[in-house]
Amino acid sequence: MKRLMIGNEAIARGAYEAGATVATAYPGTPSTEIVSSFAKFDDVYAEWSPNEKVALEVGIGASIGGARTLVAMKHVGVNVAADPLYTFAYTGVNGGLVLVSADDPGMHSSQNEQDNRGYGKFAKIPVLEPSDSQEALEFCKKGFELSEEFDTPVMMRITTRLAHSQTMVETGEKQEYEIKGYKKNAPKYVMLPANARARHVEVEKRILKLKEYAESSELNRIEWGDTSIGVITSGVPYQYVKEALPEVSILKLGMVNPLPENMIKEFSHKVERLIVIEELEPVIEEQIKSWGVKVEGKELFSLLGEYSPELIEEVLKGISNEDRYGLVKEIPGRPPLLCPGCPHRGVFYTLRKMRLMVAGDIGCYTLGALSPLDGMDTTICMGASIGTAMGMEKARGEEFAEKMVAVIGDSTFVHSGITPLIDIVYNQGTSTVLILDNDTTAMTGHQEHPATGKTITSQPTRKLDLVELVKSIGIENVQVVDPLKLDELQNALKEELGKREPSVIIAKRPCALIASKPSGVRYYVDPELCTGCKLCIRIGCTGINFLDEEKIAVMNDNNCVGCGLCPQICKFDAIKVLEV
Amino acid sequence: MSKQVTDILIVGVGGQGTLLTSRILADVAVQMGYDVKVSEVHGMAQRGGSVVTQVRYGKKVYSPIIKKGDADILLAFEKLEAARWLDYLKPDGMVIINDERVDPLPVMSGKVKYPEDIVDKIQKLIPNTRLINATEIAGQCGNTRAANVVLVGVLAAVAGLPVKEMENAIRSLVPEKAIDINLKAFEEGMKIIAN
């Protein structure tokens, strides 16, 4: 039966049909729905791992243990998992393993737009790139076969546009897959130098075999058309090319590493003009150039962002797609913002009020960096806030540390905040670390993590106790506060910042979107008392608006959830409880 | 060359239900036997930001995203968002706008004013503009949150989408207890065009 599926769901279905029984991931847009979809199948094991390195390591164990295994992460997650990945490329697999890297050209929800096809090239593993959900399903199945046939992990590289586009999928039957036997094989799996030297030889042999395979694989195909232009492309850009240039000849690559050199050379001989259309880095183009083949690519198309059909039309057909009406230029922008009732809002309001330097991290709370909260000095990657704070202190001294905090979410802290906190204790830093514990992985759509006490399938499990954890590391100053009680929060900050010792403050309150019940309290602004000072507007909440004509604030009852933050901020007690 | 694919751009503010709307339309297009592609928005932009969902259906659809200047219908859940995405509409395309104002941050904080005349401006540029008080109509049906389905009713009438298939899609995609309200909202939306 044919039905619509987003790319991520199709990948999960492909893994299921291939007989995969283990899947691991740390949630990250645009990859999250891959393993959350897989977890819904019967008779499989799926987990949210604490981070991507652990996810891949568990995946490696499952593969060596003989199971077909799916591991999924966003592009920057592969950086975290890169250490096991490069060596797993040496050992190879037992049960097949497909690693999905979900890249984010255009940075819809990411801190960079690195091109992870580069990982495939450096690790010398095959990289498959589907261009719609049907291919996502089929390539995933093919990936398991190739993984076992060539004894290698296989990377499937997708982008946001594939991950989150629904296209028609014809599903197939689940294949019966018998878990492979396990036999100790130290020369293959124990990467001591002597063994690794021998395995490196195998890696080089393998990539040559894969090159040969690429030449004849059905994953790569030519669609002949007008030969005045020959386009080499892969992934979703293939669809853009079909849309914008239906007449040209296309070499569509389903496997982007290693490349089919002879196939590409032959294609180049038959077309007058050879052009590579690939988003982000010139990964394909540079290899073709290295063979001495004349090809155009990045001199025509940008290294930045996502492509589109109109971009291709513009560059190759000279069709101008300039804004016809241009109203967009005269209207205010609409940046994303923290939800009404979000427990993070009061934290950033307080940090700014106290004029603190804030080393920030990755999550919903990164939105606290935007105006009007303007509450962050740095954001680099998952877990970086704590190490960054430590470095600032060591560069500028303990006095500076008294005016500085690291801010990190609960899920991010478990992901990669624990080791830098150990560093602060070990190397005698004095930083104050604020853990924003909203009891979920919010930004990616509310996934469980070790400190929520529930598994990926919402089963109860041993709950990681953050207070006991940080105490056991050696943090002696630990406070738990309610971030909606601003006095409590500010007093804790003052107290801990004043100590020349490391401290952790846990601001604990569930995400407003999962909170079990709304407060039920309604507020109104007393127009007699409101002076129009706009202090309440500076918390950036859609629950309270400012009337320009009347020069007063007014509650927006459609949005306000009655969290009670703005009444604490108003200096004139103008925001009052509405008695009903 | 006549267009082979119908392109519908659904825009709004994160949390307004663009995703459900696109899924209803896509479901109907599948029932009608078309090839369908839908491009969704997940992640950071969903938190109160400007969001766009794209539905394309026809005999064969390649790109999941609509080419600028190609959309047949622009369905806007909020007035400002209609203006933001207007350049994606084809010259003789149609705009359906919910008469709803959601202030973005720069307006809320008083930095800039909400352009009150934005619908007039759109109407001057696009003669085929329909302003619908969907939120109010949805309220009369039992829940203002069904405003998106009122607009779906308007769109179905305009695009000539089959009623039975539309109702099937609504039944299968909205939560059980909200089915009746949403079917009513759909019917009221259809009526606006019929009248």
Side-chain angles (χ1 to χ4, degrees), chain A residues 372-392:
Chain A
L373 290 165
D374 294 316
M376 251 178 221
D377 291 57
T378 64
T379 299
I380 308 292
C381 68
M382 291 287 288
S385 58
I386 300 175
T388 307
M390 174 71 166
M392 291 289 283

Side-chain angles (χ1 to χ4, degrees), chain A residues 36-58:
Chain A
S36 65
S37 301
F38 187 83
K40 291 174 188 155
F41 292 115
D42 292 332
D43 305 320
V44 298
Y45 172 78
E47 73 167 42
W48 292 132
S49 310
N51 65 33
E52 294 87 352
K53 181 172 182 285
V54 177
L56 182 54
E57 288 158 351
V58 173

